[in-house]
Structures are given as C-alpha cells and as structure tokens.
Amino acid sequence: MPAVTITSYNPADPDDLVAVVEEPGAEAVRAAVGRARAAQTGWLAAGAGARSAALGRIADAVEAHAEELTALIVREVGKPLAEARGEVARTAAIWRYYAQAPYAPSGAVHETAAGAGLLLTRRRPHGVAGLIAPWNFPLAIPTWKAAPALAVGNTVVLKPAPEATACALRLAELARAAGVSEDVFTVVPGGAEEGAALVDAADVVSFTGSTGVGRAVVRAATERGVPVQAELGGLNAALVLPDADIATAAAHVAAAIAGYAGQKCTATSRVIAVGAAYEPLREALVKALAAVDDTVCGPVVNSAARERLTLAVGSAVEAGASVLTGGGVPDRIGWFVEPTLLADVPAEHPLAREEFFGPIAVLHAAADLDEAIALANDTPHSLATSVHTRSLDVALAVADRLDAGMIRVNAPSSGVDFHLPFGGAKGAAHGDREQGQAALDFYTVGRTVSVLPGGGA
C-alpha cells in the first residue's frame, strides 16, 4: 500500500512545493506519546533552572534564525512579510516570557484549622501535553501552547496543521539545537488520524482550529477524563460610534478585515455602524479597503479556501446583498481574493452567521448603541470585538455588555497580548484560557498536602 503524504504549497505560488512528509499513522503517534511520557520524569526532575535555561535558549535560537523563519512563514502560509517578521519576534518573546515561569511559586502554605501541622497546596504537571495547532500562526500558536506546558514540567507532542508542516518541523529542530531532546518536544506531522490518536493518548489536550473538529476533540478528551481546552471559530464585530474618529476607525477596521487576508481568529467579520456613523464610515471603509495591497492582505491559504469565499460572496449577492468594494479574484498567480465589504446581507445568510476566514466583512447599520450591542451579541461564537469611540464612559459600559472574550477599544479586533488570557465567549472556546498565567494553570493540576506531627518523643 503506498504511503500517504502530507504536502504544503506556497499560497502565492501554488507550483512551489514547500514540504512533503509521510503521514506517520496513529501507532507512531501513540509511540511518540509513550516516549514523551518516559522522558517527562527526567524533564521535571531537572529542576526549574534547567527548564528556564532551555526555554531561554530556544528564544535565542529563534532570534538567531529570524530572517530564515520569516521567509519560511511567508513561503509556507502566505503571510505578508511585515506580519511574518512580527510573528517571529513574538515567538521569541513568548519563549522568553515563559522561561521565567519555572521560578514562579507553584503553591501556598496555609494555617491549620486547629492543632499543629502544615497545609500545602501545590500545582504539578499532568504529564504529556498533546497540542493540535492551526496553520495561520505557524510558529506563535505552537509556541504559546508548548512553552507554558514545558515550563511547568510537562513534555509535549505537537501535531501541526498540514499546511504549516515545515514551520513546525523547523521549530522542533531549533529546540533540539537548544538542548531540548526530541522526546521532550516532539512534532508529529499528519492529518485527522494522527490528531485523533494524539487526543486519545495525551494527558492534557490543547486545540486551536475549526469549530467542528474542535467539538469532536472536546468530546473525545472529555470521555477520557483528561483536561482539554479548545479555541474554535469566532464571528467578530467592530462597533463604530458617531463620536469616533472615523478615518482612524476605518483604518483599524480595514486592517482587521484584510490583514493576512482575514485569516485570523480575531479578524473582523461584521462592522456595525451606530446612527450617524454609517454613511461616513461606509465611505471611509470602502476607501481604506480599496487601498489595501499585498503587503497587508496576501493570498488565502489554498484553492479550497478561495473557492469557499467566492461562492459565499456570489450567493450573498444572489440573495440581495450589495458589494461595496472587492468581491472578485485578481487575475494573477496565487490564491488571492480581493478585500471585500458587503451590505444588505440577509440575516439568515451564512456570511452573517458563520466565520469564513477570509478578507470579507458585512456592514450593518444600528439605530442606537443598544441595537448595536444586541447585533454584536447575536452570534453563536465571538472571540474579539472592537469598539471605536472617543468616550471612555461609553467604552467601559459597552465592554461590560458585550459577549466576547476580548474587547479592544480604538484598536483593531485582531491584536493579541501574549501575557494576558486569550479565549472566546459562547461557542468560540471551551475550557481554560490560553496564554499568560492562565496557561500555566491549565497545564498543571492542584494538589493539597496535609502534614501533621509524627508523634513520639
């Protein structure tokens, strides 16, 4: 029987084959988890100093190979150059941030309710962390999963998305060069079979990807009784109030719609103009999106993604929507889609209800702030919402009423601070938050220890 292979192609040049590897199969994944479990005891026993130094060396290695990694991201997943450079810098910063975590307190000492003794709480690693990462941030997302897991003493088995195979394998090579053994940080390429095997074998599971797959991962891990977190799809809104600086708001919203071709879970898919903001915002946003070029947008990841987006726009127009800008496919090599803004999209159309992961947004009008908030919250899943206003009182009040995991005021919805909790609301996420202290808590389990006097003389 011929071997099944995983391939990744350059989205800007589909004839450019970036990587091809054989799918290892489920048994190989289970074996990798077994080796990682055997290595975990020694990784933990090496102590905080050893783990901290190892993570710091990985950060050094990423920085030393920054230009190479930037070029690889651009080539494998089509990320614009400036964003690729930013991702590499963030990747190094995340490794360095978590390099301090091994020295942080892992518990507390408490007084007994009565009598002599000592009460302790302590957080300990689960064992092997099974990580399933998407392609859109091929270094940063594997890093913000792996670094905290390793910092607190777990070993890691990472399955990247097939489209980001080369990036993940290169990150593993840099980790080995930094002195982290392959059994401590393992990358297993593959598809659905390998992902299912990893969920079935790991001691703690972290997933980022599509809603359908994520729900299956959550079910499988929950049935096994192992901790699981999942970051899924998000239909994110931008609220623009009449008092906002319309030109600045339009620039921010355009960046969140078209940046990296909208292929971010925090990208803006719905723009809600409040009251008198509608007409000036529509004009400014059409102008801003029409000015977006390849240095900002770039191609979508593959031909299937492009076809899904163009079909969605076509069906929306057939249903009565109007195209304010974009809507087509440029006549050029690569999987490019024009940044697109639609109006009058029927409420029941998928573009108004689902995440399409492309440079497409729908413009809505809201009579007042209450209607805008209700519209923003009328979604089964929301990760990030941006609010554009000059009023601090309004911004703070709106933030308390929005059903979103992250609220960004006078900024694009697509920004992320890696030292703060990251996660969505409703169907956009399951389980504990990622990043910051929240990640360290997720990759450990609490224990309570009671120490009483032994008695005797």
Side-chain angles (χ1 to χ4, degrees), residues 136 144 251 257:
N136 58 330
W144 82 43
I257 294 170

Side-chain angles (χ1 to χ4, degrees), residues 59-284:
D60 291 340
V62 170
E63 289 176 338
H65 294 83
E67 287 305 310
E68 171 208 336
L69 294 172
T70 296
L72 182 57
I73 291 174
V74 171
R75 183 181 174 212
E76 185 164 43
V77 300
K79 184 163 288 193
L81 180 61
E83 287 216 28
R85 283 184 176 141
E87 179 173 350
V88 172
R90 181 189 299 185
T91 298
I94 294 169
W95 284 109
R96 209 171 298 287
Y97 170 77
Y98 284 112
Q100 303 307 308
Y103 290 113
S106 61
V109 179
H110 301 261
E111 294 293 329
T112 61
L118 192 63
L119 302 180
L120 309 174
T121 60
R122 195 177 187 192
R123 300 197 68 83
R124 308 302 290 162
H126 293 285
V128 179
L131 313 178
I132 301 176
W135 50 262
N136 58 330
F137 287 85
L139 295 182
I141 292 182
T143 289
W144 82 43
K145 293 178 184 295
L150 292 168
V152 295
N154 298 281
T155 49
V156 160
V157 178
L158 165 68
K159 195 208 79 67
E163 296 89 345
T165 297
C167 287
L169 291 174
R170 185 63 181 129
L171 181 62
E173 289 174 354
L174 293 178
R176 289 198 296 274
V180 177
S181 77
E182 184 175 2
D183 291 339
V184 170
F185 182 23
T186 305
V187 170
V188 288
E193 178 184 351
E194 287 76 13
L198 182 56
V199 173
D200 192 49
D203 302 309
V204 58
V205 174
S206 179
F207 170 89
T208 300
S210 69
T211 299
V213 176
R215 287 174 178 167
V217 167
V218 168
R219 284 195 300 270
T222 301
E223 287 175 358
R224 292 184 55 229
V226 302
V228 56
Q229 65 180 186
E231 291 299 329
L232 312 172
L235 193 64
N236 307 307
L239 278 63
V240 182
L241 279 72
D243 71 331
D245 182 319
I246 296 298
T248 300
H252 287 163
V253 174
I257 294 170
Y260 189 24
Q263 297 173 126
K264 303 177 183 179
C265 53
T266 53
T268 293
S269 301
R270 298 180 299 152
V271 184
I272 304 171
V274 182
Y278 185 85
E279 290 298 336
L281 178 64
R282 181 180 64 177
E283 180 180 347

Side-chain angles (χ1 to χ4, degrees), residues 387-405:
V387 180
H388 304 265
T389 176
R390 285 189 172 99
S391 171
L392 178 60
D393 289 346
V394 170
L396 293 175
V398 171
D400 280 343
R401 297 172 62 189
L402 288 170
D403 291 336

